[in-house]
Amino acid sequence: MTHFVAACRRLREALACTVLVLHHTALADTGRERGSSVLRGAADVVIQVAKDEGGSGCVGFQVVTARDIEPMEQPLALRLEKVETDWRDEDEHPLSTCIVRAAGQPVTLPGRGNRPLGEAQTTLLTCARELATDRQADARGFVLLARADVVTRARGRGVPRQSISSAWQSLQSRGYLRLVEPASLMLRVRA
């Protein structure tokens, strides 16, 4: 996978273009892609596109993680609409295409259900947001926080150390914060 990512990077630089990699989800955890984490680590944006688990017939589109934009909290609902064209195939049958239209309804993507945050995750996120309000955000709206400060505040509210330790990665994968160093995190401050 490391060689594949390097080849994508070389292609992007040589052609001055964007490289999109389509991947399928794992069997057990349908909210993540299968195999190596190298691909996710190298991606600037990870987008999940899948059928609505609710059976609406819509397709959901959600930015899951991203470097320079904020992940989407809820997926967009899209409906595929078949449209006949004036073109014909070699047997003179009419050709059709598909138009993507906004559906304007809630959808649930596989692996992203409406799972609420756990108690430790909620407390950690609340503590981080409280600490972020006392700091100046950068031009993109992010505040850099020391994890130790968040941990101290969460421990003061009775969250066990083990629960705190296991909550970080989940909060990052769900787009609530970004772990940037072993001892730091970035949180977008909403205006």
Side-chain angles (χ1 to χ4, degrees):
M1 189 54 71
T2 303
H3 294 296
F4 174 76
V5 167
C8 289
R9 200 169 282 131
R10 284 193 303 274
L11 183 64
R12 182 189 70 204
E13 291 167 2
L15 299 176
C17 67
T18 298
V19 175
L20 299 176
V21 177
L22 299 179
H23 199 7
H24 48 88
T25 55
L27 299 175
D29 179 6
T30 57
R32 284 197 50 89
E33 58 281 347
R34 189 177 298 196
S36 172
S37 62
V38 170
L39 188 57
R40 179 175 280 251
D44 290 326
V45 179
V46 175
I47 299 169
Q48 183 176 1
V49 179
K51 289 183 182 178
D52 175 23
E53 281 192 321
S56 68
C58 292
V59 173
F61 173 98
Q62 185 173 13
V63 174
V64 177
T65 62
R67 293 193 198 285
D68 296 326
I69 60 172
E70 189 169 351
M72 297 166 64
E73 290 185 20
Q74 297 295 321
L76 294 175
L78 305 172
R79 188 168 304 284
L80 304 177
E81 184 179 303
K82 183 177 178 180
V83 177
E84 297 294 327
T85 69
D86 293 334
W87 298 334
R88 304 222 171 244
D89 66 13
E90 60 273 359
D91 297 325
E92 292 301 314
H93 295 106
L95 295 174
S96 60
T97 188
C98 184
I99 294 177
V100 179
R101 297 200 188 270
Q105 66 187 72
V107 293
T108 303
L109 292 175
R112 306 228 171 271
N114 295 326
R115 298 173 295 166
L117 292 177
E119 188 176 328
Q121 295 168 331
T122 301
T123 303
L124 264 179
L125 192 55
T126 299
C127 292
R129 286 179 173 156
E130 289 169 0
L131 289 167
T133 60
D134 298 337
R135 306 239 168 77
Q136 182 67 34
D138 67 11
R140 298 175 301 156
F142 285 99
V143 172
L144 184 65
L145 300 171
R147 277 203 241 182
D149 293 342
V150 180
V151 169
T152 300
R153 190 170 283 211
R155 294 278 293 137
R157 295 183 183 173
V159 180
R161 189 173 303 277
Q162 181 60 36
S163 297
I164 292 171
S165 180
S166 61
W168 292 120
Q169 200 59 44
S170 176
L171 286 170
Q172 176 171 276
S173 68
R174 292 174 74 173
Y176 288 103
L177 52 82
R178 185 179 312 157
L179 303 175
V180 291
E181 298 172 5
S184 301
L185 64 98
M186 288 183 83
L187 182 73
R188 183 178 294 267
V189 178
R190 298 183 196 282

